[in-house]
Amino acid sequence: MRIKSALAAAAIVTLAAACGGGGGGEPAGPGEPVKLDFLSLAWQKESVAANKELVNEWNKAHPDIQVTYVQGSWDNVNDQLVTQFAGGTAPDVIHNDSPALAGFASDGYLLDLSGKLPAELKSDIPQHAWDTVTFAGGEGEQGVYGVPFLQESQVIIANKKLLDESGARVPTPEEPWTWDEFSEAAKKMTKDGRYGVAWAMKSPVNKTLNLALNFGGTFFQTTDGNTTVKVGPEEREVLQRIHDQLYKDKSADPAALGQGTADPLPAFFQGKFAMLPTGVYLRQQVVEQAPDGFEWVTLPAPKGTSAQQGAVSQTLSIAQESEHPDEAMQFISFFLNAANQAKLAKGDWLLPTSQKAAADAAMTTKENGWDVATASAQNLVVAPFLKVNGYDEWRSKVATPVLQEYFANKISLDEVAKRLVEEGNQVLERYHR
């Protein structure tokens, strides 16, 4: 999931003021409404507006259960929650993403929702999405510690004119390119000083690990409860293919390697390269920033032995200490019904987990590539790293610098495998219980 700045310092003050002093919503006195605090991490203008609109709609329809919208930030939410959980001031309803839930669940800070999920909500969200929020709780038992509602997939944003001129077959969700076809298309579009593709690899780990599932690459294996790193033929496939585009085919723009997700857009609009593999949410910035007359299309990500991609979810959870868990669940059920998930997905330019929402006309229109984006959800499976205790440290201290060196052509793929495994296992060993 994206981590964006949303006035972090202001958010800390807001959170402390709104959630401090009493453990989320207040107990209701006789004749008084139940009061719930809802921590939202929405940050884009459309998304914030959609969140606030739904809270207002709920409050008007439920005078006996009033929800206070609390604006948070992805930049500091987990540090803030640690403080609030420890101090007994956590909000009742908590917006986060699924990788963060495992630690909070095992520490006993989140409520297991297994027995509280309404049948309609549970059946509308596919099992692979529920898998992203299923973890061991404080007693070691498996539980559901959030409701997954938005997910991200990888797609390719392409310059339509350059794609058409290349003569390459235009891939569809039903018939995506193979990785070989993708590489050939990139070579066809590489000419006259222009590259076929650009890989923004400032943060390379999640992207490459999610795409590695195209060839069955998981990067982790668990035996007798202990997880270790593995880099075999399956894990090497996508790494090698991206490297080949950079240094063998020379069809990938090396200038993009050190850039963040949106940084290559100016060069993309200038025609310096034809295709940009990226997350579905970047379509919003393309719409907002593209010069007049610039035509672009959304293409499905390439497939290997399968089209699977790893996924994490944005989630809504209930604090274990909430005094009103049943009312909090009622609010979540309303907030994440099919119609509302469609609104939230449009606001965030992400994919709804609700199958009914995914069938909404707003999610299947060809405008701005929504049809291709929504279709990509069928290929999402739980990201293998989601269940790995110590993954964040492995990613930041080991995998990120190693992959950056590899894509900069400073080390070999064999050296990548050696370091990811040896240095990675040293990190993971500290997390074994």
Side-chain angles (χ1 to χ4, degrees):
M1 288 292 141
R2 293 158 295 161
I3 304 300
K4 296 290 184 182
S5 174
L7 300 178
I12 292 176
V13 175
T14 302
L15 282 170
C19 297
E26 301 173 9
E32 294 182 356
V34 168
K35 295 181 181 179
L36 302 174
D37 286 334
F38 166 42
L39 171 63
S40 171
L41 302 180
W43 63 275
Q44 299 189 88
K45 184 177 179 180
E46 291 179 61
S47 182
V48 172
N51 274 250
K52 290 183 175 180
E53 176 186 336
L54 293 179
V55 170
N56 290 337
E57 185 178 333
W58 167 271
N59 285 337
K60 289 178 181 178
H62 299 82
D64 56 333
I65 306 174
Q66 292 292 286
V67 175
T68 298
Y69 179 94
V70 180
Q71 183 64 61
S73 166
W74 287 107
D75 284 346
N76 55 46
V77 61
N78 292 323
D79 289 340
Q80 187 68 25
L81 285 171
V82 167
T83 301
Q84 292 179 326
F85 283 134
T89 60
D92 301 274
V93 179
I94 300 166
H95 181 190
N96 212 321
D97 61 11
S98 48
L101 302 190
F104 290 137
S106 65
D107 289 338
Y109 289 134
L110 298 178
L111 186 68
D112 179 4
L113 306 181
S114 300
K116 292 186 176 296
L117 295 169
E120 183 177 1
L121 180 66
K122 186 175 182 180
S123 63
D124 188 31
I125 296 174
Q127 186 58 46
H128 73 76
W130 289 114
D131 290 343
T132 67
V133 294
T134 302
F135 301 99
E139 303 299 322
E141 74 290 347
Q142 292 289 306
V144 175
Y145 289 95
V147 178
F149 69 103
L150 293 176
Q151 294 185 320
E152 175 190 337
S153 67
Q154 295 292 310
V155 293
I156 300 170
I157 293 175
N159 181 314
K160 185 178 185 302
K161 178 176 180 290
L162 299 180
L163 174 64
D164 291 343
E165 288 176 353
S166 73
R169 178 180 72 84
V170 178
T172 65
E174 295 75 27
E175 292 187 66
W177 281 330
T178 64
W179 272 86
D180 287 343
E181 287 180 298
F182 172 44
S183 295
E184 287 302 312
K187 286 193 283 188
K188 287 181 179 180
M189 297 180 213
T190 301
K191 60 181 181 179
D192 302 328
R194 179 186 68 236
Y195 292 95
V197 65
W199 290 94
M201 288 295 189
K202 182 178 181 180
S203 301
V205 183
N206 283 12
K207 178 183 294 186
T208 51
L209 264 61
N210 285 335
L211 290 175
L213 284 171
N214 284 183
F215 295 94
T218 62
F219 283 88
F220 298 98
Q221 57 191 357
T222 301
T223 305
D224 297 328
N226 287 337
T227 299
T228 55
V229 182
K230 76 180 186 79
V231 185
E234 298 89 351
E235 287 76 22
R236 291 175 179 235
E237 279 281 357
V238 166
L239 297 177
Q240 182 68 66
R241 288 170 182 273
I242 295 174
H243 193 274
D244 282 351
Q245 287 185 334
L246 285 160
Y247 301 105
K248 181 182 176 183
D249 302 341
K250 298 188 184 302
S251 60
D253 187 351
L257 280 177
Q259 296 181 331
T261 302
D263 294 338
L265 284 180
F268 177 60
F269 298 142
Q270 293 166 18
K272 293 184 178 180
F273 60 86
M275 297 183 291
L276 180 63
T278 188
V280 289
Y281 65 86
L282 193 67
R283 294 171 300 129
Q284 181 191 30
Q285 293 184 54
V286 175
V287 170
E288 292 177 346
Q289 298 177 24
D292 291 343
F294 183 84
E295 292 187 281
W296 59 281
V297 293
T298 302
L299 308 176
K303 69 174 183 178
T305 53
S306 79
Q308 286 187 347
Q309 298 183 35
V312 298
S313 305
Q314 289 190 31
T315 60
L316 291 187
S317 301
I318 299 176
Q320 178 69 51
E321 65 188 21
S322 173
E323 297 184 5
H324 307 291
D326 292 335
E327 291 85 351
M329 190 70 250
Q330 291 177 44
F331 171 69
I332 290 175
S333 299
F334 159 79
F335 196 82
L336 299 184
N337 68 34
N340 291 341
Q341 274 206 42
K343 293 179 184 177
L344 295 168
K346 287 287 283 188
D348 242 341
W349 292 72
L350 291 170
L351 310 177
T353 57
S354 161
Q355 297 171 90
K356 293 178 182 176
D360 187 287
M363 295 287 103
T364 57
T365 177
K366 292 184 181 296
E367 184 179 7
N368 298 327
W370 275 107
D371 56 338
V372 174
T374 299
S376 67
Q378 67 186 343
N379 299 319
L380 296 179
V381 297
V382 60
F385 59 78
L386 185 60
K387 310 287 183 174
V388 176
N389 201 5
Y391 169 75
D392 283 342
E393 184 177 347
W394 176 83
R395 178 186 62 188
S396 61
K397 293 185 177 180
V398 179
T400 295
V402 168
L403 292 184
Q404 286 175 337
E405 288 183 52
Y406 174 63
F407 290 128
N409 207 30
K410 295 180 179 179
I411 58 175
S412 68
L413 187 52
D414 286 340
E415 179 67 13
V416 169
K418 181 174 184 291
R419 288 176 57 184
L420 288 181
V421 171
E422 293 181 358
E423 296 174 25
N425 286 339
Q426 291 176 8
V427 170
L428 298 187
E429 188 175 354
R430 297 200 298 272
Y431 290 83
H432 293 162
R433 293 183 176 178

